C-alpha cells in the first residue's frame, strides 16, 4: 500500500467518524452522568487482553495505553490502525427489561518509527459517549389537576485527538509523552406535552480542553517489562446554546434563545497507572492497575457523587511461533479479565463493572494484522433505584503496516 492510499483512507475515516460522533453511540442510562460513559476501547490486541497494555510493546500494532510504546514500533514501518465495535446491551431493573444495539468507532491511528530514533503517532478516538432516553415521565402541573408528560433524550459525547512521541533515552528504558485535545458536544432535548400544547427545550453543551500525559517503560533481563503512565489533571471549559420553542394550535414559536452562554467547567482528575508483563516461552502474561482521583476534583452532580476509580486488569496471550512461515503458528490467541470500580456513586452504591474477554490476532501477510475480540460485561446493580447492564461487545480492528523511508537499491 503506497503513501497516498494511507492518506486517502485516513481522511475518509476521519469524515465518517466526525459524522458518527453527532449521533447516539451508546445505550447506557449511566451516560446521563457527567460527560457520558468513558470509552475503553483500544487499538490492536488490548481489547482481547482485558484492557491491559501499560507495559506492552507495539510488536502487534499501535498500543495507546502507554505513549512510551511508540518507540517499539517496527523500524521504518508506518502503521495505520482503525477499528469499530458493536454492543448488544441488555438493561434490567425491577420493572425494566430492554435491549439496545449500538455501533461506534474505536480509533483511527497513524504511527511510525523513524530509524529507531523516535516513534510518533496521531490518533482520533471517542473519549466519552452519550445516548440516554427517558420517556413517559408524568407529573402534575403545579396548582392544577392537569398532568404533563416529559420525554428527555441525550446524544453526543467527547472526542480526543492526540499526538504521541517516544524515544529510548537509556538502554531498555523508553520515555513517551502525549498531548491530547478533547472536544465535543452533548445535546439534550426535552419535550413537555400537555393536553393542548407541546413545549420543546433543546440544549447543546460544548466542552473543550487540552491534557498532557507521560509514559515510561523498562525491560529487565529481556523477560520482565514494567510500565508507568501519568495523565495530568485538566479543566474542560464549557458553554451552551439553548432554544425553547412551543407548539400550540399547529403553530411553532420560539420563546427563548441563547448562544454561547458560559456553564460550569468539567474537571478531569490525575490518573496514574502501573503495568507488568512477562513471557514464559510463547505465553505472555500481563497485569495493569489504574487509579483515577475523581474525588479530588471537588465537583458534584445532581444524580450522584464522584469517587476515586480503581481498575484492575489481567491478560494472557499465546502464539506458537510468531516468526514462523506457517500461518496458524503465527496466530495470537488472547484472553483477559477486568474490574472497574467506576467513578460514580449513586445512593451510596458504586457503579462498578466486571468484564471477561477473548481475542484473536490473524496475520495478514507479513506485516499486517486483523484483531477480533469479544467481551461480556456486567455493570451496575438492580438494588435501590439502579439499573443493571449486561453488554456483549465485538471489536474488530485492522492494523496495516508498510515500509517507508527505504533507500532504493536500484535506479
Amino acid at each position: 500500500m503506497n503513501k497516498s492510499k494511507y492518506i486517502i483512507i485516513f481522511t475518509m475515516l476521519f469524515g465518517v467518524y466526525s459524522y458518527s460522533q453527532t449521533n447516539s453511540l451508546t445505550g447506557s442510562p449511566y451516560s446521563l452522568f457527567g460527560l457520558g460513559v468513558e470509552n475503553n476501547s483500544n487499538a490492536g490486541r488490548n481489547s482481547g487482553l482485558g484492557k491491559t497494555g501499560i507495559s506492552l510493546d507495539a510488536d502487534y500494532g499501535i498500543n495507546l495505553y502507554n505513549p512510551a510504546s511508540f518507540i517499539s514500533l517496527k523500524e521504518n514501518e508506518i502503521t495505520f490502525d482503525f477499528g469499530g465495535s458493536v454492543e448488544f446491551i441488555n438493561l434490567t431493573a425491577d420493572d425494566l427489561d430492554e435491549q439496545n444495539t449500538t455501533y461506534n468507532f474505536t480509533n483511527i491511528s497513524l504511527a511510525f518509527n523513524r530509524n529507531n530514533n523516535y516513534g510518533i503517532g496521531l490518533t482520533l478516538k471517542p473519549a466519552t459517549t452519550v445516548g440516554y432516553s427517558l420517556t413517559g415521565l408524568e407529573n402534575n402541573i403545579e396548582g392544577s389537576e392537569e398532568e404533563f408528560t416529559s420525554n428527555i433524550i441525550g446524544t453526543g459525547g467527547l472526542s480526543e485527538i492526540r499526538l504521541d512521541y517516544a524515544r529510548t533515552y537509556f538502554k531498555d528504558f523508553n520515555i513517551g509523552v502525549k498531548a491530547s485535545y478533547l472536544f465535543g458536544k452533548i445535546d439534550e432535548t426535552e419535550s413537555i406535552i400537555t393536553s393542548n400544547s407541546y413545549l420543546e427545550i433543546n440544549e447543546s453543551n460544548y466542552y473543550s480542553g487540552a491534557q498532557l500525559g507521560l509514559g515510561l517503560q523498562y525491560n529487565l533481563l529481556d523477560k520482565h517489562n514494567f510500565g508507568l503512565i501519568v495523565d495530568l489533571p485538566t479543566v474542560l471549559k464549557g458553554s451552551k446554546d439553548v432554544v425553547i420553542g412551543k407548539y400550540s394550535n399547529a403553530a411553532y414559536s420560539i420563546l427563548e434563545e441563547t448562544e454561547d452562554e458560559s456553564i460550569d467547567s468539567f474537571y478531569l482528575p490525575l490518573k496514574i497507572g502501573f503495568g507488568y508483563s512477562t513471557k514464559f516461552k510463547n505465553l505472555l502474561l500481563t497485569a495493569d492497575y489504574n487509579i483515577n482521583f475523581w474525588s479530588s476534583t471537588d465537583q458534584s452532580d445532581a444524580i450522584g457523587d464522584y469517587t476515586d476509580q480503581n481498575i484492575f486488569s489481567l491478560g494472557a496471550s499465546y502464539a506458537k511461533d510468531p516468526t514462523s512461515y506457517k500461518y496458524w503458528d503465527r496466530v495470537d490467541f488472547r484472553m483477559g479479565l477486568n474490574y472497574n470500580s467506576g467513578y460514580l456513586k449513586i445512593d451510596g452504591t458504586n457503579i462498578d463493572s466486571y468484564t471477561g474477554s477473548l481475542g484473536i490476532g490473524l496475520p495478514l501477510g507479513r506485516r499486517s494484522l486483523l484483531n477480533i475480540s469479544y467481551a461480556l460485561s456486567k455493570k451496575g446493580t438492580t438494588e435501590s433505584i439502579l439499573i443493571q447492564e449486561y453488554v456483549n461487545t465485538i471489536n474488530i480492528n485492522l492494523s496495516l503496516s508498510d515500509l517507508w523511508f527505504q533507500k532504493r537499491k536500484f535506479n
Side-chain angles (χ1 to χ4, degrees):
M1 182 177 289
N2 60 39
K3 302 177 185 179
S4 61
K5 288 183 178 179
Y6 274 107
I7 296 171
I8 292 171
I9 294 175
F10 189 86
T11 304
M12 291 174 61
L13 287 175
F14 183 93
V16 174
Y17 171 85
S18 300
Y19 171 77
S20 71
Q21 275 296 88
T22 64
N23 295 277
S24 175
L25 299 175
T26 179
S28 174
Y30 294 113
S31 65
L32 177 66
F33 184 81
L35 300 182
V37 174
E38 293 177 293
N39 176 65
N40 292 313
S41 296
N42 200 273
R45 57 179 170 173
N46 306 86
S47 295
L49 287 173
K51 302 175 185 176
T52 60
I54 295 175
S55 65
L56 297 182
D57 55 32
D59 280 351
Y60 283 84
I62 295 171
N63 172 22
L64 296 176
Y65 276 85
N66 192 331
S69 68
F70 279 77
I71 189 60
S72 60
L73 289 163
K74 292 182 176 63
E75 183 180 2
N76 290 330
E77 281 194 6
I78 185 162
T79 300
F80 178 54
D81 190 291
F82 63 96
S85 65
V86 56
E87 292 185 343
F88 304 95
I89 305 172
N90 185 71
L91 306 175
T92 58
D94 290 340
D95 56 351
L96 173 69
D97 189 4
E98 181 180 318
Q99 290 78 39
N100 293 314
T101 303
T102 63
Y103 307 87
N104 199 357
F105 274 91
T106 56
N107 70 289
I108 305 171
S109 305
L110 193 65
F112 66 89
N113 175 326
R114 175 64 162 160
N115 293 330
N116 278 334
N117 292 324
Y118 63 87
I120 191 168
L122 180 66
T123 297
L124 175 68
K125 62 191 288 287
T128 69
T129 52
V130 174
Y132 58 86
S133 178
L134 306 174
T135 60
L137 305 177
E138 296 185 352
N139 293 279
N140 284 96
I141 299 176
E142 188 174 349
S144 169
E145 294 184 358
E146 186 178 357
E147 291 186 341
F148 69 90
T149 302
S150 293
N151 298 315
I152 303 173
I153 297 174
T155 60
L158 299 188
S159 299
E160 176 186 7
I161 185 166
R162 60 182 268 189
L163 179 67
D164 293 83
Y165 179 85
R167 296 183 72 99
T168 298
Y169 284 93
F170 308 101
K171 180 177 172 56
D172 299 321
F173 186 75
N174 302 329
I175 299 177
V177 294
K178 71 170 184 177
S180 297
Y181 182 70
L182 297 135
F183 62 97
K185 179 178 70 167
I186 298 174
D187 292 315
E188 183 176 274
T189 300
E190 180 179 5
S191 58
I192 301 173
I193 305 168
T194 67
S195 58
N196 56 8
S197 67
Y198 180 101
L199 186 69
E200 186 174 83
I201 303 171
N202 294 294
E203 182 175 307
S204 297
N205 294 320
Y206 301 87
Y207 291 93
S208 62
Q211 186 176 41
L212 295 175
L214 171 71
L216 307 175
Q217 287 185 333
Y218 177 65
N219 177 269
L220 179 63
L221 303 176
D222 291 325
K223 182 176 179 63
H224 304 284
N225 300 290
F226 302 89
L228 168 69
I229 57 170
V230 178
D231 286 351
L232 299 178
T234 192
V235 180
L236 303 181
K237 298 293 185 180
S239 65
K240 71 175 180 179
D241 299 338
V242 180
V243 177
I244 302 176
K246 182 179 181 180
Y247 291 89
S248 183
N249 298 322
Y252 176 76
S253 59
I254 295 178
L255 303 180
E256 182 180 339
E257 184 174 8
T258 60
E259 292 185 357
D260 201 25
E261 180 182 344
S262 295
I263 57 176
D264 291 340
S265 298
F266 191 85
Y267 294 84
L268 296 179
L270 172 68
K271 301 179 180 181
I272 300 176
F274 305 92
Y276 170 76
S277 60
T278 187
K279 270 192 172 183
F280 296 93
K281 293 186 178 180
N282 294 322
L283 175 66
L284 171 70
L285 300 177
T286 179
D288 285 0
Y289 169 68
N290 291 268
I291 180 168
N292 304 330
F293 297 95
W294 282 98
S295 60
S296 64
T297 60
D298 293 328
Q299 55 190 348
S300 60
D301 192 285
I303 301 173
D305 301 313
Y306 290 89
T307 184
D308 289 344
Q309 182 179 19
N310 295 277
I311 306 172
F312 301 88
S313 310
L314 297 172
S317 69
Y318 175 80
K320 185 176 181 180
D321 183 1
T323 63
S324 172
Y325 285 95
K326 295 181 179 179
Y327 183 84
W328 286 104
D329 287 354
R330 291 184 286 128
V331 172
D332 194 44
F333 299 92
R334 305 152 185 165
M335 64 179 299
L337 297 171
N338 179 281
Y339 170 73
N340 187 334
S341 70
Y343 65 93
L344 168 62
K345 181 178 287 187
I346 298 178
D347 199 25
T349 302
N350 273 58
I351 308 303
D352 58 1
S353 63
Y354 300 83
T355 303
S357 60
L358 296 171
I360 189 171
L362 300 172
L364 302 176
R366 299 301 300 178
R367 295 190 178 92
S368 300
L369 199 67
L370 175 64
N371 299 289
I372 303 173
S373 67
Y374 165 77
L376 174 61
S377 301
K378 171 186 171 294
K379 181 177 182 179
T381 177
T382 56
E383 296 178 4
S384 186
I385 59 172
L386 302 178
I387 293 175
Q388 185 168 277
E389 298 179 3
Y390 284 97
V391 184
N392 293 273
T393 304
I394 298 174
N395 278 286
I396 299 177
N397 172 270
L398 188 60
S399 182
L400 303 173
S401 294
D402 198 5
L403 286 170
W404 279 22
F405 313 111
Q406 299 295 297
K407 293 182 180 180
R408 292 184 179 179
K409 294 183 178 180
F410 304 98
N411 290 325

